[in-house]
Structures are given as structure tokens and as C-alpha cells.
Amino acid sequence: MKIIHNRPLIGSFKTNKMKTIKLVSTLAIASAILLAACHKSDPAPATTNPVVIPVQAANPALVSMGSSSTIAILAGSGITSTGATNITGDMALSPGTSVGGFPPGILTGTQHVNDNIATQAKLDLTAAYNDAAGRTATDIVTLSGNIGGLTLTPGLYKSTSTLAISSGDLTFDAKGNADAVFIIQIASALTTTSGRKVILSGGALASHIFWQVGSSATFGTTSVFKGTVLAMQSITFDTGASLNGRALARSGAVVMAGNTIVQE
């Protein structure tokens, strides 16, 4: 009797086991399909900077440049140029004494080396640098890494490290406001790669753009830059780079190589 009773149980157990195996296999296949679908629908990794930069409520006040407002090139340790550099605006050096490359470089303006004008310009540069670096806003926008391809509207921008314009051009859009001001605080270096451009849109003015650079700035070959560069250390222009604005270095040198610089 035990044998008779056990046979149906064994058969039932085998049947249930087979059903269980089939169910587990089906669930495994379904899970694999769901996981593959999830991977396909995963969003792309976020870029370093948002595609749309928030519009800020307040328009910053201009950074007061004092006597350095008429100077195109200002350096601390030296000024050097190779090739056909062309500067429109004054050039000043303090406390350094070494200026080289003029001629063949052309200066349409006045050169000041360790005179009263150069000394005062350096003091005013220090005040302007500290002013720009100390600005705050409740809706300040943080930037990082490469900012090529972005469009910035009036306001205050901050980077806690380096900034680069490398994968596209950077646009400043004043939105039709002739008084629009842009201040970019950079904790470390600023660089542009070859051929990159800063573009002005909506009535933006180079004289209303201020780059406060915590270390040094380097502008790549044939790049086109706009604004006042307030660098703690040095400023270097690679061959053919151009600037509409001012290149002002507090402690280091300004190095040029066949560049066009127009004070604005």
C-alpha cells in the first residue's frame, strides 16, 4: 500500500518540479528582457554644464577700472612680443622694466614703464581684481570645465577650478540691454583652444565683460576673445590670437606673438 500511495506522489513531485523549472526559466528570460530595455532607455550622462543657463534676476554693476580703463596691456614682470603684434591703446608695466618686440610690434598709444601712470594703473588693477573676485549674488551661476557652446546672459558666474573654451564658441547675449554686465570669477586658469571665439549678441559690449582669473590666462592660436581679463599671474597670446578689451596681469608677464589687441 505504501508503494501504491508513493507512486502518485513521485509523479506529482516530478510534474511540479518541471513546472517550477519552466516558471523560473520564464522569469529569468523576462528579467533579461526588462534589464535590456532599461539599459536602452537610460538617460545619457549629464554634461558638465547645463544646456540652458539660468537667467539671473539682477544685472551686476560695472567693475570700476580707474586709471587702467584706457590701458590695453598691463603687466607686472615684463611685456614681450614676437612678430607683427598690433596694439591699439596704452601699454604699461610696473614694477618690471623689460619690454621687448616694439618694433616690429606696433603700439598705437603710449608706453608707460615704471612711471607714475603705470604705478597707479597697477594699484587700480588690484582694486578692480578684488572687486570682481568679491562679488556675490543669490542666483549666481556655477560653471565648470569646458564652456564652449554655451550662451551666457547678464549676471555673475563662478568657477571653483579652471575654465576652458574648447569644444565650441562662447556667446554673451545682452538681451537688448545696452547696460548688460557679465562677470566671470575663475579660481584658477582660463584657456581657449585654437580658433575658438567669444561672440557678442543682443547688444553685448566687450567693455562690460570681466574675467577675474585666479592664476593665468592663455589664448590659443587664432582665437578671438572679448572682455577685460584681470589675471593674478600671466597672460599669453598664441600666434594670431586677438582681443577686444584689456589684458591686465597683476604679477606676471604678458606674452604676445603676432596678435591684434584693441582696448575697449
Side-chain angles (χ1 to χ4, degrees):
M1 294 295 291
K2 289 182 180 179
I3 294 174
I4 294 171
H5 284 299
N6 282 341
R7 282 179 180 172
L9 290 173
I10 292 171
S12 176
F13 174 76
K14 287 182 178 179
T15 302
N16 289 337
K17 184 177 181 181
M18 290 177 66
K19 288 180 179 180
T20 302
I21 292 171
K22 288 181 180 180
L23 179 60
V24 170
S25 299
T26 302
L27 288 173
I29 293 169
S31 297
I33 293 171
L34 286 172
L35 284 172
C38 288
H39 284 306
K40 288 182 180 179
S41 62
D42 281 346
T47 55
T48 302
N49 293 295
V51 174
V52 178
I53 300 297
V55 175
Q56 299 180 52
N59 183 47
L62 284 167
V63 174
S64 176
M65 299 304 302
S67 63
S68 64
S69 62
T70 62
I71 294 177
I73 300 292
L74 174 59
S77 63
I79 297 173
T80 61
S81 172
T82 57
T85 294
N86 197 318
I87 299 173
T88 301
D90 293 346
M91 187 164 67
L93 176 63
S94 175
T97 57
S98 176
V99 177
F102 296 90
I106 298 172
L107 174 64
T108 305
T110 304
Q111 178 175 292
H112 302 278
V113 178
N114 259 330
D115 59 11
N116 290 337
I117 291 177
T119 301
Q120 185 60 51
K122 178 57 71 66
L123 292 173
D124 291 341
L125 167 58
T126 300
Y129 180 97
N130 291 336
D131 177 15
R135 295 293 184 93
T136 60
T138 56
D139 55 355
I140 187 172
V141 174
T142 299
L143 302 173
S144 63
N146 167 43
I147 57 174
L150 298 183
T151 296
L152 305 184
T153 53
L156 180 63
Y157 298 86
K158 183 180 184 66
S159 168
T160 59
S161 184
T162 62
L163 280 188
I165 304 172
S166 59
S167 66
D169 298 333
L170 175 67
T171 300
F172 286 96
D173 186 358
K175 300 292 186 182
N177 179 8
D179 297 322
V181 174
F182 309 80
I183 299 174
I184 303 91
Q185 300 170 339
I186 307 170
S188 186
L190 167 66
T191 61
T192 69
T193 53
S194 178
R196 292 295 109 209
K197 297 178 181 179
V198 171
I199 299 169
L200 305 183
S201 176
L205 300 174
S207 59
H208 287 189
I209 302 172
F210 301 90
W211 303 82
Q212 176 261 313
V213 182
S215 59
S216 297
T218 302
F219 304 108
T221 303
T222 69
S223 61
V224 178
F225 203 76
K226 307 288 174 62
T228 295
V229 182
L230 309 157
M232 175 61 78
Q233 297 175 11
S234 63
I235 300 174
T236 301
F237 294 89
D238 290 340
T239 304
S242 65
L243 168 70
N244 287 78
R246 311 175 186 97
L248 313 175
R250 291 183 60 183
S251 63
V254 174
V255 179
M256 295 165 282
N259 309 115
T260 300
I261 298 168
V262 178
Q263 182 273 316
E264 288 189 22

PDB file of all heavy atoms in Angstrom, residues 115-135:
ATOM      1  N   ASP A 115      56.500 104.377 -14.501  1.00  0.00           N
ATOM      2  CA  ASP A 115      56.270 105.787 -14.206  1.00  0.00           C
ATOM      3  C   ASP A 115      55.037 105.904 -13.305  1.00  0.00           C
ATOM      4  O   ASP A 115      54.455 104.896 -12.888  1.00  0.00           O
ATOM      5  CB  ASP A 115      56.122 106.614 -15.486  1.00  0.00           C
ATOM      6  CG  ASP A 115      54.965 106.146 -16.376  1.00  0.00           C
ATOM      7  OD1 ASP A 115      54.143 105.322 -15.913  1.00  0.00           O
ATOM      8  OD2 ASP A 115      54.889 106.599 -17.531  1.00  0.00           O
ATOM      9  N   ASN A 116      54.644 107.123 -13.006  1.00  0.00           N
ATOM     10  CA  ASN A 116      53.509 107.329 -12.102  1.00  0.00           C
ATOM     11  C   ASN A 116      52.215 106.730 -12.652  1.00  0.00           C
ATOM     12  O   ASN A 116      51.396 106.199 -11.893  1.00  0.00           O
ATOM     13  CB  ASN A 116      53.323 108.830 -11.830  1.00  0.00           C
ATOM     14  CG  ASN A 116      54.431 109.410 -10.988  1.00  0.00           C
ATOM     15  OD1 ASN A 116      55.106 108.682 -10.243  1.00  0.00           O
ATOM     16  ND2 ASN A 116      54.656 110.723 -11.100  1.00  0.00           N
ATOM     17  N   ILE A 117      52.043 106.818 -13.969  1.00  0.00           N
ATOM     18  CA  ILE A 117      50.823 106.292 -14.592  1.00  0.00           C
ATOM     19  C   ILE A 117      50.788 104.766 -14.470  1.00  0.00           C
ATOM     20  O   ILE A 117      49.748 104.173 -14.137  1.00  0.00           O
ATOM     21  CB  ILE A 117      50.733 106.735 -16.062  1.00  0.00           C
ATOM     22  CG1 ILE A 117      50.478 108.248 -16.127  1.00  0.00           C
ATOM     23  CG2 ILE A 117      49.625 105.968 -16.789  1.00  0.00           C
ATOM     24  CD1 ILE A 117      50.450 108.821 -17.528  1.00  0.00           C
ATOM     25  N   ALA A 118      51.919 104.122 -14.730  1.00  0.00           N
ATOM     26  CA  ALA A 118      51.980 102.660 -14.622  1.00  0.00           C
ATOM     27  C   ALA A 118      51.752 102.201 -13.180  1.00  0.00           C
ATOM     28  O   ALA A 118      51.039 101.214 -12.925  1.00  0.00           O
ATOM     29  CB  ALA A 118      53.323 102.161 -15.132  1.00  0.00           C
ATOM     30  N   THR A 119      52.352 102.906 -12.244  1.00  0.00           N
ATOM     31  CA  THR A 119      52.199 102.550 -10.822  1.00  0.00           C
ATOM     32  C   THR A 119      50.751 102.676 -10.373  1.00  0.00           C
ATOM     33  O   THR A 119      50.216 101.803  -9.680  1.00  0.00           O
ATOM     34  CB  THR A 119      53.091 103.440  -9.948  1.00  0.00           C
ATOM     35  OG1 THR A 119      54.458 103.266 -10.347  1.00  0.00           O
ATOM     36  CG2 THR A 119      52.949 103.086  -8.472  1.00  0.00           C
ATOM     37  N   GLN A 120      50.093 103.766 -10.777  1.00  0.00           N
ATOM     38  CA  GLN A 120      48.695 103.971 -10.394  1.00  0.00           C
ATOM     39  C   GLN A 120      47.790 102.953 -11.086  1.00  0.00           C
ATOM     40  O   GLN A 120      46.832 102.440 -10.481  1.00  0.00           O
ATOM     41  CB  GLN A 120      48.254 105.389 -10.750  1.00  0.00           C
ATOM     42  CG  GLN A 120      46.842 105.731 -10.270  1.00  0.00           C
ATOM     43  CD  GLN A 120      46.697 105.622  -8.761  1.00  0.00           C
ATOM     44  OE1 GLN A 120      47.489 106.187  -8.006  1.00  0.00           O
ATOM     45  NE2 GLN A 120      45.680 104.885  -8.299  1.00  0.00           N
ATOM     46  N   ALA A 121      48.103 102.657 -12.333  1.00  0.00           N
ATOM     47  CA  ALA A 121      47.304 101.669 -13.059  1.00  0.00           C
ATOM     48  C   ALA A 121      47.368 100.311 -12.371  1.00  0.00           C
ATOM     49  O   ALA A 121      46.360  99.588 -12.288  1.00  0.00           O
ATOM     50  CB  ALA A 121      47.785 101.555 -14.502  1.00  0.00           C
ATOM     51  N   LYS A 122      48.544  99.955 -11.861  1.00  0.00           N
ATOM     52  CA  LYS A 122      48.678  98.675 -11.165  1.00  0.00           C
ATOM     53  C   LYS A 122      47.851  98.680  -9.865  1.00  0.00           C
ATOM     54  O   LYS A 122      47.214  97.668  -9.530  1.00  0.00           O
ATOM     55  CB  LYS A 122      50.153  98.396 -10.860  1.00  0.00           C
ATOM     56  CG  LYS A 122      50.398  97.112 -10.084  1.00  0.00           C
ATOM     57  CD  LYS A 122      49.833  95.882 -10.793  1.00  0.00           C
ATOM     58  CE  LYS A 122      50.624  95.532 -12.027  1.00  0.00           C
ATOM     59  NZ  LYS A 122      51.977  95.094 -11.735  1.00  0.00           N
ATOM     60  N   LEU A 123      47.847  99.786  -9.141  1.00  0.00           N
ATOM     61  CA  LEU A 123      47.025  99.882  -7.935  1.00  0.00           C
ATOM     62  C   LEU A 123      45.536  99.766  -8.274  1.00  0.00           C
ATOM     63  O   LEU A 123      44.774  99.084  -7.573  1.00  0.00           O
ATOM     64  CB  LEU A 123      47.295 101.219  -7.227  1.00  0.00           C
ATOM     65  CG  LEU A 123      48.685 101.386  -6.603  1.00  0.00           C
ATOM     66  CD1 LEU A 123      48.859 102.816  -6.098  1.00  0.00           C
ATOM     67  CD2 LEU A 123      48.897 100.385  -5.466  1.00  0.00           C
ATOM     68  N   ASP A 124      45.132 100.407  -9.355  1.00  0.00           N
ATOM     69  CA  ASP A 124      43.729 100.353  -9.768  1.00  0.00           C
ATOM     70  C   ASP A 124      43.353  98.961 -10.267  1.00  0.00           C
ATOM     71  O   ASP A 124      42.209  98.514 -10.083  1.00  0.00           O
ATOM     72  CB  ASP A 124      43.454 101.400 -10.844  1.00  0.00           C
ATOM     73  CG  ASP A 124      43.519 102.817 -10.296  1.00  0.00           C
ATOM     74  OD1 ASP A 124      43.415 102.985  -9.064  1.00  0.00           O
ATOM     75  OD2 ASP A 124      43.701 103.771 -11.090  1.00  0.00           O
ATOM     76  N   LEU A 125      44.302  98.272 -10.900  1.00  0.00           N
ATOM     77  CA  LEU A 125      44.054  96.890 -11.323  1.00  0.00           C
ATOM     78  C   LEU A 125      43.823  96.001 -10.104  1.00  0.00           C
ATOM     79  O   LEU A 125      42.912  95.170 -10.101  1.00  0.00           O
ATOM     80  CB  LEU A 125      45.236  96.364 -12.135  1.00  0.00           C
ATOM     81  CG  LEU A 125      45.263  94.843 -12.378  1.00  0.00           C
ATOM     82  CD1 LEU A 125      44.003  94.372 -13.087  1.00  0.00           C
ATOM     83  CD2 LEU A 125      46.514  94.453 -13.172  1.00  0.00           C
ATOM     84  N   THR A 126      44.614  96.163  -9.073  1.00  0.00           N
ATOM     85  CA  THR A 126      44.448  95.374  -7.855  1.00  0.00           C
ATOM     86  C   THR A 126      43.067  95.595  -7.246  1.00  0.00           C
ATOM     87  O   THR A 126      42.384  94.645  -6.830  1.00  0.00           O
ATOM     88  CB  THR A 126      45.537  95.724  -6.825  1.00  0.00           C
ATOM     89  OG1 THR A 126      46.819  95.433  -7.390  1.00  0.00           O
ATOM     90  CG2 THR A 126      45.356  94.939  -5.538  1.00  0.00           C
ATOM     91  N   ALA A 127      42.637  96.854  -7.214  1.00  0.00           N
ATOM     92  CA  ALA A 127      41.310  97.172  -6.671  1.00  0.00           C
ATOM     93  C   ALA A 127      40.206  96.566  -7.536  1.00  0.00           C
ATOM     94  O   ALA A 127      39.217  96.019  -7.010  1.00  0.00           O
ATOM     95  CB  ALA A 127      41.145  98.686  -6.580  1.00  0.00           C
ATOM     96  N   ALA A 128      40.368  96.631  -8.856  1.00  0.00           N
ATOM     97  CA  ALA A 128      39.364  96.069  -9.762  1.00  0.00           C
ATOM     98  C   ALA A 128      39.297  94.551  -9.635  1.00  0.00           C
ATOM     99  O   ALA A 128      38.210  93.955  -9.626  1.00  0.00           O
ATOM    100  CB  ALA A 128      39.700  96.472 -11.204  1.00  0.00           C
ATOM    101  N   TYR A 129      40.451  93.920  -9.532  1.00  0.00           N
ATOM    102  CA  TYR A 129      40.512  92.457  -9.363  1.00  0.00           C
ATOM    103  C   TYR A 129      39.780  92.039  -8.085  1.00  0.00           C
ATOM    104  O   TYR A 129      38.955  91.119  -8.104  1.00  0.00           O
ATOM    105  CB  TYR A 129      41.969  92.012  -9.312  1.00  0.00           C
ATOM    106  CG  TYR A 129      42.153  90.511  -9.150  1.00  0.00           C
ATOM    107  CD1 TYR A 129      42.380  89.704 -10.253  1.00  0.00           C
ATOM    108  CD2 TYR A 129      42.090  89.915  -7.887  1.00  0.00           C
ATOM    109  CE1 TYR A 129      42.548  88.333 -10.107  1.00  0.00           C
ATOM    110  CE2 TYR A 129      42.252  88.547  -7.741  1.00  0.00           C
ATOM    111  CZ  TYR A 129      42.482  87.758  -8.850  1.00  0.00           C
ATOM    112  OH  TYR A 129      42.637  86.401  -8.695  1.00  0.00           O
ATOM    113  N   ASN A 130      40.058  92.715  -6.996  1.00  0.00           N
ATOM    114  CA  ASN A 130      39.415  92.385  -5.725  1.00  0.00           C
ATOM    115  C   ASN A 130      37.916  92.638  -5.763  1.00  0.00           C
ATOM    116  O   ASN A 130      37.120  91.895  -5.156  1.00  0.00           O
ATOM    117  CB  ASN A 130      40.060  93.182  -4.589  1.00  0.00           C
ATOM    118  CG  ASN A 130      41.480  92.738  -4.303  1.00  0.00           C
ATOM    119  OD1 ASN A 130      41.864  91.606  -4.605  1.00  0.00           O
ATOM    120  ND2 ASN A 130      42.282  93.638  -3.741  1.00  0.00           N
ATOM    121  N   ASP A 131      37.511  93.697  -6.474  1.00  0.00           N
ATOM    122  CA  ASP A 131      36.091  93.995  -6.631  1.00  0.00           C
ATOM    123  C   ASP A 131      35.393  92.850  -7.362  1.00  0.00           C
ATOM    124  O   ASP A 131      34.379  92.314  -6.895  1.00  0.00           O
ATOM    125  CB  ASP A 131      35.924  95.303  -7.403  1.00  0.00           C
ATOM    126  CG  ASP A 131      34.466  95.650  -7.679  1.00  0.00           C
ATOM    127  OD1 ASP A 131      33.567  95.054  -7.044  1.00  0.00           O
ATOM    128  OD2 ASP A 131      34.223  96.521  -8.546  1.00  0.00           O
ATOM    129  N   ALA A 132      35.956  92.452  -8.514  1.00  0.00           N
ATOM    130  CA  ALA A 132      35.343  91.378  -9.310  1.00  0.00           C
ATOM    131  C   ALA A 132      35.313  90.064  -8.536  1.00  0.00           C
ATOM    132  O   ALA A 132      34.314  89.333  -8.549  1.00  0.00           O
ATOM    133  CB  ALA A 132      36.100  91.212 -10.624  1.00  0.00           C
ATOM    134  N   ALA A 133      36.415  89.753  -7.839  1.00  0.00           N
ATOM    135  CA  ALA A 133      36.505  88.488  -7.103  1.00  0.00           C
ATOM    136  C   ALA A 133      35.556  88.442  -5.913  1.00  0.00           C
ATOM    137  O   ALA A 133      35.126  87.362  -5.493  1.00  0.00           O
ATOM    138  CB  ALA A 133      37.939  88.262  -6.626  1.00  0.00           C
ATOM    139  N   GLY A 134      35.209  89.599  -5.376  1.00  0.00           N
ATOM    140  CA  GLY A 134      34.385  89.651  -4.183  1.00  0.00           C
ATOM    141  C   GLY A 134      32.895  89.768  -4.436  1.00  0.00           C
ATOM    142  O   GLY A 134      32.100  89.767  -3.483  1.00  0.00           O
ATOM    143  N   ARG A 135      32.484  89.841  -5.698  1.00  0.00           N
ATOM    144  CA  ARG A 135      31.052  89.983  -5.989  1.00  0.00           C
ATOM    145  C   ARG A 135      30.276  88.730  -5.589  1.00  0.00           C
ATOM    146  O   ARG A 135      30.756  87.606  -5.732  1.00  0.00           O
ATOM    147  CB  ARG A 135      30.843  90.244  -7.487  1.00  0.00           C
ATOM    148  CG  ARG A 135      31.407  91.549  -8.004  1.00  0.00           C
ATOM    149  CD  ARG A 135      30.696  92.761  -7.439  1.00  0.00           C
ATOM    150  NE  ARG A 135      31.223  93.984  -8.041  1.00  0.00           N
ATOM    151  CZ  ARG A 135      30.711  94.579  -9.117  1.00  0.00           C
ATOM    152  NH1 ARG A 135      29.623  94.061  -9.699  1.00  0.00           N
ATOM    153  NH2 ARG A 135      31.269  95.673  -9.599  1.00  0.00           N
TER     154      ARG A 135
END
